[in-house]
Amino acid sequence: MKKVVVGTALVCAAAVCTAAVLVVRHRMKNCGKWSKAMGILKEFEDKCRTSTEKMKQLAEAMAVEMHAGLASEGGSKLKMLISYVDNLPTGDEKGLFYALDLGGTNFRVLRVQLGGKDDRVARQEFVEVSIPPHLMTGSSEDLFGFIAEALAKFVEEEGDGYHPVSGRQRELGFTFSFPVRQTSIASGTLIKWTKGFNIEDTVGQDVVGELTKAMEKIGLDMRVAALVNDTIGTLAGGRYHNDNVIAAVILGTGTNAAYVERAHAIPKWQGLLPQSGEMVINMEWGNFRSSHLPFTEYDQALDLESLNPGEQIFEKMISGMYLGEIVRRVLCRMAEEAALFGDVVPPKLKKPFILRTPDMSAMHHDTSPDLKVVGSKLNNILEVSNSPLPLRKIVFMLCDIVATRGARLSAAGIYGIIKKLGRDTPKDGDNQKSVIAVDGGLFEHYTKFRNSLESSLKELLGDQVADNFVIEHSNDGSGIGAALLAASHSQYLGVEES
């Protein structure tokens, strides 16, 4: 009997020892896993670090590229496009103006009643129209005919509160968010279609001319007064509400910047200088590139696999289209090399762009002790259930690294514009405010990104100069901004209403 008891005790002891060994091994394996994942995270953080000195080097490089782009066509990675906008809104504009915003599978038509300094935008309304898929690959006549019909219908619905002046054409600001070679304030030839459009007979044509033909064909008496993009529109909207606005930045799915340049500082400008002495420049800053950019192997892989390798490098590091994808790529490496999610890499994690920047933002703003939102997103998007807290913390830290880098690079770009304009140093007795108008979902909705951008710009400017700079959210540049530019470039400027 004693032998049986002893034997049983030995078996139990052996089982306990085996279980203990397994627990220890599991803990060691987990410890090794977290250690390796943290090593990858630390290495990535070091490569992304954007010190004050590095931001100043980037700003200097941006200013140099700006000078080069203004000197000659093709002289810089920055296109520095002349917008032909030389009269920004002042707030004195009065009357009824329309806007057409075409930049994707939907377009908007708007009307605004401007009431001058007292009433500003007295009244506004818009309608959004979906473009049938077959028109996106059909003929130019069919697409612009469809748009003109929608415009005509919208004009017919003008109600009380809108006051067109008798005997005058209605005027329209046209936001056209496709690559265009601008030839005047109200003309520009299409370079190529993007965003799923492919209408061959429009390429090389003046898009304002195409729209005008379509409107004339159905008897709609409306003149396109300004052809703009959303960044120029944001600048116009910002200046309308605050005459200290000197530049505009879009930080959304994509990114761009525009600013007010002195006309005599544009060597490539051919022709008479505008009476205002100013010209708005569309920088196309998404294409900025510099050896000072903290460009990692993840950025390089993203770029190589993109539709436009070697182009829009700055955009791929700071805009909403790509931030979530950078996070995914680092997580993928952690999953493969550190078994962060277990022995099998989650299949969904291998899918490019599955992790969107709004989801990244939600995880980054998670304030719960157990990072509940992070766990929920990992489960809903990547189908990773029961994620332990250390894993959630790694994801949270990764979001912080990517967002902070993007925000600090954006601040460096803005500081580059400020340097180009010579406003980066304090001047005796100069207390004039300078305002940067910013629009886009990334800036508007990603609070930690916005806060980091603002604090980084202050860091670059220094306390004395920073007091004179303000970043303001300027909403709907592609809509109201375009209508305001139609008003400031109206053919009836200076003509009294009869």
Side-chain angles (χ1 to χ4, degrees), residues 173-446:
F174 184 10
T175 302
F176 187 75
S177 299
F178 299 91
V180 160
R181 185 171 289 106
Q182 194 114 4
T183 49
S184 75
I185 183 60
S187 61
T189 56
L190 177 66
I191 297 170
K192 64 176 179 179
W193 285 107
T194 55
K195 307 173 192 177
F197 285 79
N198 187 18
I199 305 169
E200 289 183 15
D201 63 346
T202 320
V203 177
Q205 298 299 313
D206 175 13
V207 292
V208 172
E210 295 296 292
L211 177 61
T212 301
K213 274 192 299 186
M215 291 191 295
E216 287 173 349
K217 188 174 180 180
I218 60 170
L220 176 59
D221 189 21
M222 184 176 277
R223 170 183 173 265
V224 178
L227 174 67
V228 297
N229 71 8
D230 55 354
T231 319
I232 308 287
T234 297
L235 181 56
R239 178 65 76 90
Y240 181 71
H241 293 289
N242 188 330
D243 58 12
N244 291 324
V245 169
I246 60 168
V249 176
I250 299 289
L251 286 166
T253 305
T255 185
N256 193 15
Y259 74 103
V260 183
E261 182 60 275
R262 295 150 297 184
H264 63 77
I266 311 172
K268 69 180 179 182
W269 171 258
Q270 301 293 319
L272 295 172
L273 292 178
Q275 284 187 343
S276 66
E278 296 180 336
M279 179 61 70
V280 174
I281 299 295
N282 169 18
M283 290 176 62
E284 293 293 338
W285 85 349
N287 207 42
F288 174 65
R289 187 167 193 168
S290 164
S291 59
H292 297 298
L293 284 171
F295 196 63
T296 70
E297 62 266 41
Y298 307 100
D299 300 300
Q300 188 171 15
L302 186 155
D303 176 51
L304 286 171
E305 294 168 29
S306 70
L307 295 172
N308 53 348
E311 298 177 19
Q312 300 297 106
I313 297 299
F314 196 51
E315 180 169 83
K316 289 169 185 171
M317 297 178 76
I318 71 172
S319 78
M321 176 81 180
Y322 300 100
L323 297 184
E325 172 63 6
I326 296 166
V327 170
R328 183 198 70 83
R329 286 173 178 271
V330 182
L331 285 176
C332 221
R333 184 180 165 200
M334 290 177 176
E336 290 165 354
E337 296 184 15
L340 183 65
F341 298 96
D343 295 331
V344 179
V345 177
K348 288 284 181 77
L349 185 60
K350 295 179 180 179
K351 187 177 177 184
F353 293 95
I354 193 170
L355 187 61
R356 297 161 53 250
T357 299
D359 299 313
M360 169 190 167
S361 172
M363 293 191 290
H364 194 187
H365 289 98
D366 190 353
T367 55
S368 60
D370 58 349
L371 296 175
K372 193 174 182 179
V373 176
V374 176
S376 173
K377 290 291 181 185
L378 291 175
N379 185 28
N380 295 339
I381 298 165
L382 302 179
E383 296 179 355
V384 174
S385 56
N386 303 318
S387 53
L389 186 57
L391 188 156
R392 296 180 188 187
K393 285 182 176 177
I394 285 174
V395 174
F396 179 89
M397 287 186 284
L398 182 54
C399 292
D400 186 63
I401 292 165
V402 173
T404 300
R405 182 187 70 164
R408 288 177 75 79
L409 293 180
S410 303
I414 293 170
Y415 187 55
I417 298 172
I418 293 168
K419 279 184 74 70
K420 169 66 181 70
L421 294 174
R423 297 183 181 226
D424 57 318
T425 52
K427 294 180 177 63
D428 291 338
D430 182 10
N431 293 317
Q432 186 185 359
K433 295 287 184 188
S434 294
V435 179
I436 312 294
V438 186
D439 195 12
L442 180 64
F443 179 81
E444 184 177 358
H445 302 300
Y446 201 145

Side-chain angles (χ1 to χ4, degrees), residues 27-285:
R27 283 179 179 168
M28 286 177 67
K29 187 178 178 182
N30 267 351
C31 187
K33 174 171 76 174
W34 301 127
S35 175
K36 191 154 189 179
M38 286 303 294
I40 292 170
L41 185 75
K42 182 74 171 65
E43 179 191 26
F44 180 62
E45 183 178 29
D46 289 343
K47 289 178 178 177
C48 286
R49 188 164 282 115
T50 314
S51 65
T52 309
E53 186 56 37
K54 186 175 275 291
M55 286 196 292
K56 286 183 175 178
Q57 290 171 333
L58 283 164
E60 183 62 42
M62 179 73 81
V64 168
E65 289 292 318
M66 290 171 73
H67 276 285
L70 290 173
S72 62
E73 295 296 344
S76 164
K77 281 282 183 188
L78 299 177
K79 288 190 173 69
M80 302 299 285
L81 301 172
I82 294 168
S83 71
Y84 295 89
V85 172
D86 57 359
N87 284 312
L88 284 166
T90 61
D92 292 322
E93 292 80 11
K94 291 184 178 181
L96 171 63
F97 295 92
Y98 280 78
L100 165 64
D101 177 13
L102 174 61
T105 53
N106 298 333
F107 66 88
R108 287 187 305 154
V109 286
L110 304 88
R111 60 174 148 252
V112 297
Q113 185 72 42
L114 303 177
K117 281 276 195 292
D118 295 331
D119 293 333
R120 295 284 175 163
V121 179
R123 192 178 172 94
Q124 59 174 295
E125 57 189 13
F126 74 92
V127 65
E128 192 160 321
V129 183
S130 292
I131 300 174
H134 71 275
L135 291 180
M136 295 170 65
T137 55
S139 70
S140 190
E141 184 179 357
D142 288 345
L143 174 66
F144 285 100
F146 179 77
I147 293 168
E149 291 282 0
L151 257 173
K153 185 172 183 290
F154 190 60
V155 169
E156 283 173 14
E157 294 164 356
E158 262 176 15
D160 294 338
Y162 294 99
H163 310 292
V165 178
S166 178
R168 290 188 182 181
Q169 277 184 305
R170 287 175 176 81
E171 294 184 292
L172 172 87
F174 184 10
T175 302
F176 187 75
S177 299
F178 299 91
V180 160
R181 185 171 289 106
Q182 194 114 4
T183 49
S184 75
I185 183 60
S187 61
T189 56
L190 177 66
I191 297 170
K192 64 176 179 179
W193 285 107
T194 55
K195 307 173 192 177
F197 285 79
N198 187 18
I199 305 169
E200 289 183 15
D201 63 346
T202 320
V203 177
Q205 298 299 313
D206 175 13
V207 292
V208 172
E210 295 296 292
L211 177 61
T212 301
K213 274 192 299 186
M215 291 191 295
E216 287 173 349
K217 188 174 180 180
I218 60 170
L220 176 59
D221 189 21
M222 184 176 277
R223 170 183 173 265
V224 178
L227 174 67
V228 297
N229 71 8
D230 55 354
T231 319
I232 308 287
T234 297
L235 181 56
R239 178 65 76 90
Y240 181 71
H241 293 289
N242 188 330
D243 58 12
N244 291 324
V245 169
I246 60 168
V249 176
I250 299 289
L251 286 166
T253 305
T255 185
N256 193 15
Y259 74 103
V260 183
E261 182 60 275
R262 295 150 297 184
H264 63 77
I266 311 172
K268 69 180 179 182
W269 171 258
Q270 301 293 319
L272 295 172
L273 292 178
Q275 284 187 343
S276 66
E278 296 180 336
M279 179 61 70
V280 174
I281 299 295
N282 169 18
M283 290 176 62
E284 293 293 338
W285 85 349

